[in-house]
Amino acid sequence: MSSSVNAIALKSILHKEVHRFMRIWIQTLVPPAITISLYFVIFGELIGSRIGQMGGYDYMSFIVPGLIMMSVITNSYSNVASSFYSAKWQHNIEEMLVAPVPNWVIVAGYVGGGMARGILVGLIVTLVSLFFVDIQIHNIWVIIATVCLTSATFSLGGLINAIFASSFDDISIIPTFILTPLTYLGGVFYSISLLPEFWQGVSQANPIVYMVNAFRYGFLGVTDVSLTIAFSVLGVFIVTLYTLAMVLITKGVGLRT
Amino acid sequence: MRKALEISNLKKIYKGGFEALKGIDLTVNEGDFFALLGPNGAGKSTSIGIITSLVNKTSGSVSVFGKNIDTELEAAKSYIGLVPQEFNFNQFESLMRILVNQAGYYGVDRKTAHERAEKYLKKLDLWDKRDNASRMLSGGMKRRLMIARALMHEPKILILDEPTAGVDIELRRSMWEFLKELNQQGITIILTTHYLEEAEMLCRNIAIIDQGIIVKNTDMKSLLSSLNVETFILDLDSKDLADHSSIELTGFTSRLVGECTLEVDIDKSQTMNQIFTQLTDLGINVKSMRNKSNRLEELFVNMINQSHEAAEEK
Ligand SMILES: Nc1ncnc2c1ncn2[C@@H]1O[C@H](COP(=O)(O)OP(=O)(O)OP(=O)(O)O)[C@@H](O)[C@H]1O
Ligand SMILES: [Mg+2]
C-alpha cells in the first residue's frame, strides 16, 4: 500500500487509542495524580524529612524522577495491554485485521497510543510534583529521550502481553508479579549505591534501574549507571520487543485461528 | 468476465485436528449475487474467514480480483467488505467513530469518511443513533451497522455471513432491497444464509456446502428446475377418517402424520386432481392444503442427505 494510505491508517489507530484513554480519563489519568500525591505526602513530607539526603539531594527531590518514571512505565504498559486485549476480546481487532493495514502500522499505532498515555501521565505527575518540590532540569534532551524510549519499551511489552493473553487475568499477572517488583527495586526510592555489593550486581540485571537513573540524570545530573549503557539497554529492549511483536502478529498468534 | 473470487482446493484443519474444509473449489464472477448455503458447521464461516484473512488456511489458494492472498494480501483485502456473522464492534465506541476509523484503516481520509458515514447511516436508518455507543443498538441495528461499516471503503466485493440472522421480516426485506441496489451498482455480493427463501429471492448462483465439501455449485434457475418433487400437507376431515386405519394413494408416496394430516409427495408428471379423485373415492374430504416447505429447503435437505449417504458408503 502507498505511504499515504498507511499514514491515514496509522492516524486512525492513534486517534482511536488516544480517544479511548481520554474517554475513560477517570480510570486512566486521575489515579496516577492521586498516587503520586500520596507518595509525596508520605515519603516526602512525613518520612522523607527524617531520611535526610539521598545521592546529594533531599529525599523528595531524589524520588521525583523515579516516581514520574514509575507512572510512565505502568501507564504505557497497561494502556496497550488493556486496549489490545479488549479489542481481541470484543473481536473489534478484526476491523484492523481484515483491512489492508500492514502489521507494523498496527504495532506502531498501539505503541503510539501507549506512549501518548505514558507521556501525558508523566506530564500530569510532573505538574502535581511542582506543588511539593521545585524541579530542576539538568538536561532536557536526556529527559525527553528517556521518557519516549521507556514508554515505547513498555508499550511494546504490554502489546506482547495482550497478544498472549487469553483472559483479563493474564494482563494483570505480569504487571503485578514482574513489573511492580522490578519498579520498586529499580532505584526509584533509593540509590542503588546504598545496597550491599551483591545486591548492586543483581540490580544491574533490572532494566528499570537504567531507565530511572537516566531519567534522574536528566533532572539532577546524578546517576548510578552510565548513560551510554542506559540508552543501549533501552535500544536493545525496543529492537527485541518490536521484533517479537511483529513476529507474533504476522503469525497471527492469539489473533487468527 | 472477471473473476471476483477464485478458490481452489482450499483446506482447513483447525488446531486439534478438525478438518473443517476438505478441499473446496469455488469461482464467483464479477457482478454476481452468490449464495453460499449449508447447515450449521458446514464450513461457511471458515471459508469466509480464510478469504478475509481472519483464519489461516491449511492449503489451497484464494484470489480476489486476481490478487492472491499469499502474495498480494493487502491488495486483495482492499477489495473486500466483510459483514461477519458475529458482532465485532467496540462496545463503547460511537457509531460514527466506528465507521470513520474503519474507513481510515483502508486509507480513506477523515473528511470523505464522515461524508460516507453520513450517507450510509442515513440510508440504513441509523443516523439518529450516530453518537450512541454501539452497545446501545438493538440486534437488527447492529447488523445494519456492520453493513455500513463494510461499505465505508467502497469495496468491489461484499461478503455477508448471515446478514439477516435475527432480523425481523420487514427489516429483512428492506435489507434485501438495499443489497439488490448495491449489486445493481456493480458490487459483487456473496452471502451465507439459513433462510433459503433469501437465497432464492436474491441470488443468481449458489453453492451448497456440507461437512467441508461443496456438494452443489450451480445457477439458481437450474437448481430450482431440477427440483421435481414437492410435498403437500392436506388437512383431512376427522369424521371421514373413522373407517380408515391407513390411506393408500396409488401412484403417490404419502403418509399420515398426526390424527388427520396427510403428507403427499407429488412429482412433476403428476397432478393434484389425481389425489383429490382418489380421496373423494375413499369418501374423505380435504379441509385445507398447504406446501410443506419452501422448495429449495426440500432440495437442500435431500442433497445433504445424499451427500451424507455417499460419505457413509466410502
Ligand atoms: N476455531 C476453531 N477451532 C476448531 N474448530 C472450529 C473453529 N472454528 C470453527 N470450527 C469448526 O469448523 C466447522 C465449521 O465451522 P464454521 O463456523 O465454518 O461453520 P458454518 O458453516 O459457518 O456454520 P454456521 O451456519 O453455524 O455459522 C465446525 O465444525 C466448527 O466446530
Ligand atoms: Mg457461520
Side-chain angles (χ1 to χ4, degrees), chain B residues 44-46 85 161-162 192 194:
Chain B
K44 302 179 297 293
S45 298
T46 301
Q85 182 172 3
D161 199 350
E162 292 182 36
T192 76
H194 289 284

Side-chain angles (χ1 to χ4, degrees), chain B residues 45 47 85 117 122 128 174 186 203 286:
Chain B
S45 298
S47 313
Q85 182 172 3
K122 283 183 173 161
D128 292 344
S174 75
C203 300
V286 179

Side-chain angles (χ1 to χ4, degrees), chain B residues 232-236 249 252 264 266 271-289:
Chain B
F232 285 89
I233 296 176
L234 311 183
D235 292 316
L236 309 177
L249 299 177
F252 293 92
V264 190
I266 304 174
T271 67
M272 307 287 306
N273 297 44
Q274 295 169 304
I275 299 173
F276 289 117
T277 317
Q278 291 193 40
L279 286 172
T280 312
D281 290 347
L282 290 169
I284 298 171
N285 288 305
V286 179
K287 291 170 82 178
S288 66
M289 183 184 81

